Amino acid sequence: MAEAPWLTIIGLGEDGPDGLCSASRKALADAEIVMGPARHLGLLPDPGAELVEWPVPFADGLKALEGFRGRRVVALVSGDPFWFGAGSVIAARLGAGEWRALPGRSTFSLAAARLGWPLETTLCLGLHAAPMTRLRPDLAPGLRAIVLLRDGAAVGDLAAYLRAEGFGESRLTVLEALGGPRERVSMATAADLSGTFSHPVCVALDVAGSGTVLPRVSGISDRFFETDGQITKRPVRALALSALAPMPGERLWDIGGGSGSIGIEWCLAHRSLRAIAIESRPERAARIRANADRFGLDRLRVVEGQAPGALAGLDLPHAVFVGGGLSEALMVDLAARLPSGTRLVAHAVTLESEALLAGWSARLGGELLRIELAEAAPLGARRGWSPSRPVVQWRVVL
């Protein structure tokens, strides 16, 4: 018979033990040690166990928790431990047989119950440890979202962010200490929000306003990116993303990242996608980071250095885009380094780089596409076509 786990993770609400199931109450009664934030420990009557306050930073608590291995321990967390909660972090640290979890009612469920919103069509985000910009790709009139925030002051930060992005008309329902005696619900628009709020707090958003909405297909307007001119322009970027064909869970190498537009749009295609931008110029690497921050994309990593040398030690990709720094040495390295099945897309704008792609296409196959675009521009008193430099795209599956 398997040995019982030494650790029980219990989701505790603002109503304290009154809202716990019988299994959670028994685990508390049997515990030698109860560990959790001061707020949670304060909700308990005398449990007859040693009470240990979870320290700050959070990682220090994980070390302390492991030190109690072999004793009967309860870790108190908020609501559902595995929905933007601490449960997943604790579970990842311990072995599969060392812990069990007894979830409580999540803040999302409580908020939806107050508002009458269907959770299956409501965006749920944890912004207690993430930037407000994490909302940016989803902001659109009519969106409903419930977001967890780190503290009461963050409610004002959220309203300010919405105003700055042109969504000041959004209706905010601020829900404090849901399910407990301190519960308070208040409503205002982002433009009119005032007052102070207490932790724990979440905000339900009913988004409205005239802010710019990001498209859900490739080809975001160039104006969303800071750039020094080194950027894959919108129409060409859309063709590049189509060729790269991002699929859930994949990783991209964006070699010669420039402004980061390819890696950013790759990550925006799905929440599970990741990217590594390799950029040799420090000022451009900083610009890529700033552009990624604008979209709340901590899934885009920037590596400063010149490829192919900077590729050493990186997690292997599912797809690679070469938008700058194309050379024979780079192509030789990629052909040797990348596993079979990797999708490779490269762009060339000079005669020399075109010849390089033509030669590699003859060796490895794939598809060559010449992209010639022209925009209408003034021509005297009328208008004519102003052509851009042609781009040659090579796409191959290794």
Side-chain angles (χ1 to χ4, degrees), residues 30-265:
D30 293 342
E32 299 175 59
I33 296 172
V34 178
M35 186 174 179
R39 177 172 58 87
H40 285 158
L41 296 177
L43 295 173
L44 300 178
D46 183 7
E50 178 185 352
L51 300 182
V52 178
E53 185 175 335
W54 199 286
V56 176
F58 183 81
D60 290 349
L62 295 174
K63 298 175 185 176
L65 186 65
E66 288 182 303
F68 300 137
R69 186 181 272 111
R71 303 175 70 181
R72 294 190 304 277
V73 182
V74 164
L76 298 177
V77 300
S78 295
D80 186 342
F82 294 95
W83 201 357
F84 295 104
S88 58
V89 180
I90 296 172
R93 182 85 172 217
L94 304 178
E98 294 189 88
W99 60 271
R100 62 171 178 160
L102 301 172
R105 295 169 295 177
S106 72
T107 301
F108 299 115
S109 296
L110 289 168
R114 301 295 184 273
L115 299 164
W117 289 5
L119 277 179
E120 69 271 15
T121 58
T122 300
L123 176 66
C124 297
L125 287 178
L127 300 184
H128 36 42
M132 300 298 174
T133 50
R134 188 69 59 83
L135 274 168
R136 191 61 190 87
D138 296 291
L139 284 179
L143 172 76
R144 283 179 168 178
I146 300 172
V147 297
L148 309 181
L149 297 175
R150 68 179 182 274
D151 54 29
V155 178
D157 297 340
L158 174 61
Y161 175 72
L162 291 170
R163 293 195 299 269
E165 293 296 328
F167 295 98
E169 299 170 40
S170 300
R171 293 179 293 280
L172 277 58
T173 304
V174 184
L175 305 112
E176 303 167 71
L178 280 175
R182 296 189 300 113
E183 178 175 319
R184 185 174 69 143
V185 178
S186 50
M187 290 172 282
T189 66
D192 298 330
L193 182 78
S194 62
T196 58
F197 306 94
S198 300
H199 180 72
V201 63
C202 73
V203 176
L205 305 176
D206 205 335
V207 177
S210 57
T212 303
V213 178
L214 296 185
R216 303 305 292 182
V217 294
S218 301
I220 294 174
S221 172
D222 294 349
R223 65 188 178 85
F224 277 98
F225 303 97
E226 293 182 18
T227 178
D228 60 359
Q230 188 68 23
I231 185 173
T232 304
K233 299 295 194 297
R234 181 185 60 79
V236 178
R237 190 184 331 125
L239 291 170
L241 267 294
S242 176
L244 288 166
M247 289 177 270
E250 291 190 327
R251 180 185 295 107
L252 171 76
W253 283 358
D254 180 8
I255 299 176
S259 301
S261 61
I262 292 288
I264 287 170
E265 287 219 43

Side-chain angles (χ1 to χ4, degrees), residues 305-325:
Q306 182 74 46
L311 305 179
L314 299 183
D315 292 333
L316 289 173
H318 303 84
V320 175
F321 177 71
V322 182

Side-chain angles (χ1 to χ4, degrees), residues 5-10 23-24 26-27 82 96-102:
W6 61 269
L7 174 65
T8 300
I9 305 168
I10 293 179
S24 295
K26 185 177 187 307
F82 294 95
E98 294 189 88
W99 60 271
R100 62 171 178 160
L102 301 172

Side-chain angles (χ1 to χ4, degrees), residues 230-232 253-260 262 277-281 284 288 305-308 311 320-331 334 344-350 353 356-357 391-392:
Q230 188 68 23
I231 185 173
T232 304
W253 283 358
D254 180 8
I255 299 176
S259 301
I262 292 288
I278 298 93
E279 174 54 56
S280 61
R281 294 176 58 170
R284 286 181 177 166
I288 294 171
Q306 182 74 46
L311 305 179
V320 175
F321 177 71
V322 182
L326 184 64
S327 67
E328 179 69 18
L330 175 60
M331 292 308 305
L334 291 176
L344 173 62
V345 176
H347 283 186
V349 293
T350 67
S353 56
L356 181 64
L357 292 188
V391 176
V392 171

